[in-house]
Amino acid sequence: MLINPEDKLGHIRREIYGNFSEHLGRCIYGGIYVGENSPIPNIHGLRKDVIEAFRQIRLPVLRWPGGCFADEYHWKDGIGDKAGRKRMVNTNWGGVVEDNSFGTHEFMELCELVGCEPYIAGNLGSGTVQELSEWVEYMTFDGVSPMAEARRRNGREAPWKLKYLGIGNENWGCGGNMEPEFYLAEYRRYQSFCKNFGGNRLFKIACGPSGGDAHWTEVIMRGLRPDMAQGISLHFYTVPEWEHKGSARVFDDAEYLRTIDCAWLLDEHITKHSEIMNRYDPEHRIGLIVDEWGTWFDVEPGTNPGFLYQQNTMRDAMVAALSLNILNRHSRRVVMANIAQAVNVLQAVVLTDGEKMIKTPTFHVFDLYKEHQDGDAVYCYAADDRLAEGSRARTLSTSASVKDGVLTLTLANCSLTDAARIDCAVSRFPGKLESARILTQEVHACNDFDDPENVRIEPFDATYENGVLRAELPPCSVVELRVRAE
Ligand code: AHR
């Protein structure tokens, strides 16, 4: 292996380590929000344990309220006196009644408590230009206007700062089944009326492609100027076969290999969309935002199929680790990513059961990787050994960054059978090993409510001498090594 700390690939914006939270299953209700009268410790109804967990991984940005839910969400139903808030049916996710007790004020307070940027996904599919324009005014206008006055009446004097604004979600699918040309025209109109009030500067995000859909990207990029959109989104889930997703916990080695192989598609998709974006935007003024990614398995037996609740094992940890390495390596074009989802849905970082909360193996990967946030991604070469014959997956996934004189290297050994010996020359970087940490377990291992610490980060043995990092990674492991320059 080889690292050149002077060869910069991009800047790893902290937003690459973002999460996504939707009104889906128990993500918001029960997961993030329990209401002020709950015996579960909370601040204005927001779970303290979940806030603390988000702070631990330095969660930089949280996307809300969907997902598919975003394009049927009408924000005015979620403000004001809770008893009077309109109820609605969540048609996408289980047909449950949504009481709108968690709305704009609750979400913005959550972000303030966590210390993260809010990322609002606006409704283009079933909303109106006026509705979205007024939401921006409600949140960000400091002067005298109907929306700003309404915000004050609802208890919030000062405007919030809102940077990230998505305009529509999956408008090629649940967000309206649109053709790209039609969506583009709608987007251009909607974004024109989303204004920058006072010192607030919106970073507007257009709906981008699903997976490898190059045509969508081509049409959207051709029709956008950097003043109209600063980002376009990409959604990619690790699902080898949509008709047979399989269990999150019970799988054989062949399924594991298929999952890891599929996760590596993220690299191909980003490369393909970046090539298109490079043609229309060689100056990188429009960022690629992977605002939904992660594994998607069958729901846990006995749970509501519309709630997408799945357990999280070391297999998920390996997917998270290699995906984040891919995102770091593409940080010249990728400026944000949001794993789906934060709590109790799909590849969640935390799971809750009543008053209990556990941190999943995926959470621990975010914890292991957090020092990459705001670092410069640097050249890191590893031999291209494939996990299996004909697989696109590499056995060893890596990325490296430098921040404040410290080199951070993260590695995932995806083999289930073989250790990986690391001899990594770091050019012109005299220094000393500051820390070495590992997450490793048998691939099916998970944390559950009876054994919440089963999978956890442990100290690890490694050396750094004469510019060479040496370590031996056990099978199915994720490692973080940090070297401080001297
Ligand atoms: O994350 C679950 C769903 O997956 C989202 O609502 C939607 O955007 C995507 O299809």
Side-chain angles (χ1 to χ4, degrees):
M1 267 189 74
L2 186 67
I3 293 176
N4 181 357
E6 286 166 13
D7 188 354
K8 301 210 184 328
L9 307 178
H11 183 68
I12 302 175
R13 291 170 201 236
R14 64 179 76 172
E15 285 85 350
I16 284 180
Y17 289 81
N19 269 231
F20 164 42
S21 59
E22 178 166 14
H23 288 237
L24 193 178
R26 294 185 301 111
C27 180
I28 299 295
Y29 299 110
I32 286 174
Y33 184 76
V34 287
E36 294 177 10
N37 299 325
S38 170
I40 299 170
N42 68 81
I43 303 168
H44 299 145
L46 302 163
R47 285 183 78 124
K48 283 188 177 172
D49 51 0
V50 171
I51 292 169
E52 208 29 65
F54 287 171
R55 290 180 68 86
Q56 184 185 333
I57 55 173
R58 295 186 207 142
L59 182 70
V61 58
L62 188 61
R63 178 174 182 249
W64 173 84
C68 296
F69 182 79
D71 279 298
E72 65 175 8
Y73 181 63
H74 300 285
W75 68 272
K76 287 182 185 170
D77 298 344
I79 54 170
D81 177 34
K82 291 198 180 180
R85 290 192 193 177
K86 193 166 151 190
R87 289 165 175 252
M88 66 178 279
V89 181
N90 189 335
T91 62
N92 285 289
W93 306 118
V96 293
V97 173
E98 158 71 52
D99 71 3
N100 275 306
S101 54
F102 186 94
T104 305
H105 290 251
E106 291 74 21
F107 175 66
M108 290 307 226
E109 181 175 11
L110 170 70
C111 292
E112 283 177 345
L113 291 167
V114 171
C116 70
E117 294 277 352
Y119 170 7
I120 295 280
N123 179 346
L124 175 142
S126 72
T128 64
V129 174
Q130 180 181 1
E131 184 182 8
L132 186 57
S133 150
E134 288 184 341
W135 199 4
V136 173
E137 181 187 323
Y138 184 88
M139 289 185 279
T140 63
F141 186 54
D142 200 10
V144 178
S145 81
M147 292 303 117
E149 289 302 308
R151 184 192 68 236
R152 292 188 187 104
R153 277 197 304 280
N154 289 330
R156 174 76 188 196
E157 176 60 38
W160 291 285
K161 179 177 163 284
L162 175 71
K163 183 171 178 187
Y164 298 110
L165 177 71
I167 303 182
N169 169 76
E170 296 195 352
N171 302 92
W172 33 260
C174 65
N177 288 304
M178 300 173 188
E179 294 296 331
E181 293 80 4
F182 180 80
Y183 170 75
L184 174 66
E186 288 288 283
Y187 176 86
R188 289 172 63 121
R189 189 164 67 102
Y190 270 71
Q191 69 80 31
S192 305
F193 299 94
C194 295
K195 306 288 184 186
N196 290 324
F197 292 111
N200 193 66
R201 288 287 167 274
L202 294 170
F203 183 108
K204 292 181 270 192
I205 299 159
C207 168
S210 167
D213 183 354
H215 176 63
W216 185 281
T217 305
E218 185 83 39
V219 172
I220 302 298
M221 284 304 296
R222 194 190 304 137
L224 285 182
R225 291 193 316 257
D227 60 309
M228 296 173 174
Q230 291 73 53
I232 72 164
S233 63
L234 162 66
H235 287 187
F236 169 68
Y237 284 97
T238 295
V239 188
E241 239 188 300
W242 281 95
E243 300 311 311
H244 305 279
K245 299 191 194 78
S247 157
R249 296 181 85 151
V250 184
F251 52 89
D252 58 21
D253 288 2
E255 281 174 273
Y256 169 78
L257 290 177
R258 275 201 298 277
T259 305
I260 299 299
D261 187 57
C262 178
W264 270 92
L265 264 175
L266 178 64
D267 189 44
E268 291 179 18
H269 292 334
I270 295 176
T271 302
K272 185 199 277 186
H273 297 300
S274 297
E275 280 166 9
I276 299 168
M277 294 177 78
N278 289 345
R279 273 194 277 114
Y280 292 102
D281 174 35
E283 290 164 342
H284 289 74
R285 293 167 72 188
I286 300 178
L288 188 60
I289 296 199
V290 188
D291 58 16
E292 289 188 29
W293 69 272
T295 58
W296 190 324
F297 299 116
D298 291 341
V299 297
E300 289 302 307
T303 65
N304 187 326
F307 282 13
L308 310 187
Y309 175 73
Q310 65 190 43
Q311 246 295 1
N312 195 291
T313 67
M314 275 301 294
R315 174 174 61 168
D316 296 86
M318 303 313 292
V319 170
L322 73 88
S323 301
L324 290 169
N325 283 333
I326 289 168
L327 293 164
N328 285 343
R329 286 174 169 276
H330 283 282
S331 55
R332 232 184 130 217
R333 182 58 81 176
V334 176
V335 299
M336 190 201 295
N338 310 75
I339 193 169
Q341 298 192 4
V343 189
N344 291 335
V345 171
L346 300 177
Q347 193 176 351
V349 296
V350 298
L351 301 175
T352 66
D353 181 11
E355 77 288 359
K356 295 184 187 163
M357 186 206 78
I358 51 174
K359 298 168 179 172
T360 64
T362 297
F363 175 95
H364 291 304
V365 172
F366 274 75
D367 202 20
L368 269 183
Y369 277 51
K370 65 188 175 194
E371 295 301 338
H372 281 307
Q373 293 187 22
D374 299 323
D376 286 323
V378 297
Y379 177 84
C380 174
Y381 167 82
D384 184 5
D385 291 336
R386 299 294 160 128
L387 193 52
E389 214 181 302
S391 171
R392 67 169 68 80
R394 291 172 176 230
T395 308
L396 188 66
S397 148
T398 62
S399 69
S401 67
V402 176
K403 180 175 67 179
D404 301 332
V406 180
L407 171 74
T408 299
L409 169 64
T410 48
L411 311 107
N413 177 12
C414 297
S415 169
L416 294 183
T417 50
D418 298 334
R421 167 162 288 289
I422 307 298
D423 282 289
C424 177
V426 185
S427 46
R428 291 187 291 279
F429 204 81
K432 96 166 189 279
L433 190 69
E434 184 161 272
S435 65
R437 304 190 296 157
I438 187 166
L439 188 74
T440 187
Q441 266 271 24
E442 196 276 327
V443 69
H444 300 91
C446 62
N447 291 333
D448 61 34
F449 296 98
D450 297 323
D451 194 359
E453 301 285 325
N454 180 36
V455 180
R456 59 183 186 276
I457 296 173
E458 313 249 29
F460 180 57
D461 274 339
T463 60
Y464 186 58
E465 282 165 8
N466 303 322
V468 180
L469 265 170
R470 290 201 172 84
E472 186 163 298
L473 274 58
C476 194
S477 64
V478 186
V479 161
E480 181 224 35
L481 304 173
R482 304 193 74 219
V483 176
R484 181 171 291 280
E486 283 184 330

